[in-house]
Amino acid sequence: MRLQAFLARAGAAPSRRKAERPILEGRVTVNGEKATLGATVTPQDEVRFDGRPVRLPKTKIYLALNKPPGYLTTMNDDRGRPTVAHLMPEVPGLIPAGRLDADTTGLLILTNDGDLAHRITHPSSEIDKQYRLTLENPVPSVALAELASGPTLEDGKMRPPGISNLSRAGKTTSLDLTIHEGRNRIIRRACLAVGLALLTLHRTRVGPVILGDLPAGEYRALTPDELEALQ
């Protein structure tokens, strides 16, 4: 695997991107030689960061978090803002499998298994994700139809999402939206494109993993059945 990915999975760097700088600064060695950006390593190689050995975790961890609002989906923030790392146990190499923006709440899977994280996030896996949307009324039927057909966004047409469990109450309308792609802020941008005012966005499911009644800010281990279905 690439050295940047190795450092991130081992917990020596908060992300692959942030592993680049110490490599360029000459702080990382592979088998006694200064490493180069983009180098490939195996678990058998001797990797050191500032002279300390770096190893991949032997135990793989799979956790589901109910992310509250206001937390960034990253394990480290240079500006000191709250991140999901503050809600999780200290596990070397733990990374989020996908992203939720700071205002979006709900299910986030975190793991130190880089292969599974890649499978969950890669478009070819087509793992569906379900969200509960709260919209400000009025919510015209024509706007819902445009949303269901997949609006055209600045980075291409959205694949038609599934819409279910629509209910109206007073000043708001709620519905479940199921998507099969993970482009940045795609639901928020889709609502804006069809003229819908999105008030809250809450992820309730990722493939076979259902958030259920897990309290906000709490996490649980994935069940063996959930893990098998994801893999």
Side-chain angles (χ1 to χ4, degrees):
M1 74 179 71
R2 290 293 183 92
L3 179 57
Q4 296 97 300
F6 183 93
L7 294 174
R9 293 184 190 182
S15 68
R16 283 175 289 184
R17 182 175 60 82
K18 292 186 178 181
E20 295 176 358
R21 183 172 179 178
I23 295 172
L24 293 172
E25 291 174 344
R27 299 166 59 192
V28 181
T29 62
V30 178
N31 299 325
E33 302 289 336
K34 282 190 177 181
T36 58
L37 198 62
T40 300
V41 297
T42 70
Q44 288 72 43
D45 288 319
E46 182 188 66
V47 179
R48 289 181 176 268
F49 186 116
D50 289 339
R52 297 187 298 272
V54 179
R55 300 183 180 89
L56 293 177
K58 294 181 179 180
T59 302
K60 293 181 179 179
I61 302 295
Y62 308 93
L63 302 173
L65 168 71
N66 185 353
K67 188 185 89 67
Y71 285 81
L72 301 181
T73 304
T74 180
M75 302 308 287
N76 182 270
D77 180 66
D78 294 336
R79 295 164 57 184
R81 293 171 294 182
T83 74
V84 294
H86 295 114
L87 304 171
M88 307 304 297
E90 291 189 10
V91 176
L94 192 69
I95 57 172
R99 302 184 66 84
L100 295 175
D101 62 49
D103 294 329
T104 301
T105 61
L107 177 59
L108 186 67
I109 295 174
L110 296 99
T111 180
N112 58 0
D113 183 343
D115 292 334
L116 183 66
H118 182 266
R119 170 169 170 70
I120 292 172
T121 57
H122 199 275
S124 65
S125 300
E126 294 195 342
I127 294 176
D128 57 346
K129 302 169 182 68
Q130 187 176 79
Y131 296 77
R132 186 67 176 169
L133 282 63
T134 303
L135 304 166
E136 183 179 14
N137 286 336
V139 176
S141 297
V142 64
L144 287 177
E146 291 175 1
L147 180 63
S149 67
T152 298
L153 308 175
E154 64 272 18
D155 53 355
K157 182 175 173 60
M158 180 185 188
R159 293 178 60 182
I163 294 180
S164 60
N165 297 326
L166 188 146
S167 63
R168 302 179 189 270
K171 298 181 179 180
T172 62
T173 293
S174 297
L175 57 88
D176 290 332
L177 189 80
T178 303
I179 62 173
H180 299 83
E181 54 185 320
R183 282 184 280 166
N184 187 41
R185 298 174 66 86
I186 188 168
I187 295 177
R188 294 185 183 277
R189 292 189 289 125
C191 288
L192 183 63
V194 301
L196 294 173
L198 180 62
L199 299 178
T200 64
L201 182 59
H202 182 72
R203 187 155 70 188
T204 57
R205 181 172 61 82
V206 174
V209 183
I210 298 173
L211 181 63
D213 57 2
L214 184 67
E218 299 293 323
Y219 63 88
R220 65 168 177 85
L222 297 192
T223 68
D225 288 344
E226 289 172 335
L227 186 55
E228 181 180 2
L230 278 175
Q231 292 173 328

